[in-house]
Amino acid sequence: MELTQAIKAYIDEKIGGLEKFFDQILEARVEVGLTTKHHQKGNIFRAEVNLEVPRKHILRAEAEKEDLYMAINQVKDELQAQIKKYKEKMRGNVKF
């Protein structure tokens, strides 16, 4: 699947916006595309994001939706919740 400028900008806005919740994101790897149709009619889009954070941890989320933008939004929401949980663990100096 070829990414348009609009999709790239949307990904940058949503995934890049996670830095306002946690400024210690070391690297973000984003993959988007079409999945096989399997048992559903129409296109199914998949978004996957891996965020590398301190202490060699990876925060990961993926979503499959009929709309690529909805899949990106769901991944962003899942990562936002994971970031919150990760920060709470860091504040409590809990080993994980």
Side-chain angles (χ1 to χ4, degrees):
M1 175 179 163
E2 189 171 329
L3 296 181
T4 64
Q5 271 311 110
I7 294 171
K8 288 179 184 179
Y10 194 78
I11 291 169
D12 286 343
E13 175 188 339
K14 294 298 178 179
I15 305 305
L18 291 171
E19 288 185 335
K20 69 182 173 186
F21 298 102
F22 188 61
D23 61 357
Q24 296 181 30
I25 296 172
L26 305 174
E27 182 181 5
R29 289 180 297 282
V30 180
E31 292 182 28
V32 295
L34 284 168
T35 65
T36 59
K37 293 181 183 176
H38 198 50
H39 296 288
Q40 298 185 9
K41 294 181 180 179
N43 292 329
I44 303 296
F45 295 94
R46 183 173 185 278
E48 177 183 327
V49 178
N50 293 311
L51 296 180
E52 186 179 334
V53 294
R55 299 184 186 172
K56 299 195 185 243
H57 279 83
I58 302 289
L59 304 179
R60 182 177 187 282
E62 62 181 84
E64 290 184 356
K65 295 285 184 184
E66 292 179 2
D67 179 80
L68 178 59
Y69 293 97
M70 288 174 41
I72 294 167
N73 285 339
Q74 183 176 341
V75 165
K76 180 204 61 105
D77 292 343
E78 287 180 30
L79 286 171
Q80 192 172 336
Q82 288 183 35
I83 287 170
K84 182 178 178 183
K85 188 175 179 181
Y86 180 78
K87 285 172 59 174
E88 288 173 2
K89 285 183 179 182
M90 284 182 56
R91 281 191 204 113
N93 293 323
V94 176
K95 284 193 167 189
F96 41 125

